[in-house]
Amino acid sequence: QVQLVESGGGLVQAGGSLRLSCATSDRTFSKYAMGWFRQAPEKEREFVAAITWTTGISYHADSVKGRFTISRDNAKNTVYQQMSSLKPEDTAVYYCAATKYGSISSASLRRTATYEYWGQGTPVTVSS
């Protein structure tokens, strides 16, 4: 079992910024594809961003393009989600997820079923 620990959530005004972190001590982290998902109350869990085991390949949902950036630091076993120009509709619990599989398509990276490991989530609230 792989443990993922999210941090960095909180309360911010619209237009503000936050950076989420997802850390693991698993020694095979650099081989994982990582994703960020979010879920608002009584809403479906939705894809936010993903990054493959090579840092040059990343994907973002249309709703966050230009505002959110996913990145990873394999030396620190950590993936980040930089969130700027936040909107009230970004309010949700944000989850990081990991899959040990390689050669995963961009379509697969957007699906929750792709990921074997999930963190507990960190809440983000954007006030207007």
Side-chain angles (χ1 to χ4, degrees), residues 27-47:
R27 61 186 177 182
T28 63
F29 170 82
S30 64
K31 300 179 182 179
Y32 296 169
M34 303 292 296
W36 284 100
F37 292 78
R38 66 187 182 186
Q39 188 166 19
E42 302 183 5
K43 299 287 188 178
E44 298 290 333
R45 192 188 318 173
E46 67 174 351
F47 170 78

Side-chain angles (χ1 to χ4, degrees), residues 60-71:
H60 295 82
D62 289 342
S63 60
V64 304
K65 281 183 178 178
R67 300 189 298 117
F68 292 9
T69 302
I70 188 171
S71 62

Side-chain angles (χ1 to χ4, degrees), residues 36-117:
W36 284 100
F37 292 78
R38 66 187 182 186
Q39 188 166 19
E42 302 183 5
K43 299 287 188 178
E44 298 290 333
R45 192 188 318 173
E46 67 174 351
F47 170 78
V48 177
I51 188 165
T52 66
W53 70 278
T54 53
T55 58
I57 308 298
S58 62
Y59 307 88
H60 295 82
D62 289 342
S63 60
V64 304
K65 281 183 178 178
R67 300 189 298 117
F68 292 9
T69 302
I70 188 171
S71 62
R72 68 190 298 163
D73 186 339
N74 289 337
K76 297 183 182 298
N77 293 345
T78 301
V79 63
Y80 303 98
Q81 180 82 284
Q82 180 65 48
M83 307 162 64
S84 300
S85 301
L86 284 162
K87 305 174 181 180
E89 52 263 44
D90 295 318
T91 296
V93 177
Y94 284 72
Y95 299 89
C96 72
T99 175
K100 66 180 184 294
Y101 301 131
S103 301
I104 296 175
S105 70
S106 60
S108 293
L109 289 171
R110 303 172 80 93
R111 295 193 284 265
T112 59
T114 296
Y115 299 89
E116 307 98 79
Y117 310 109

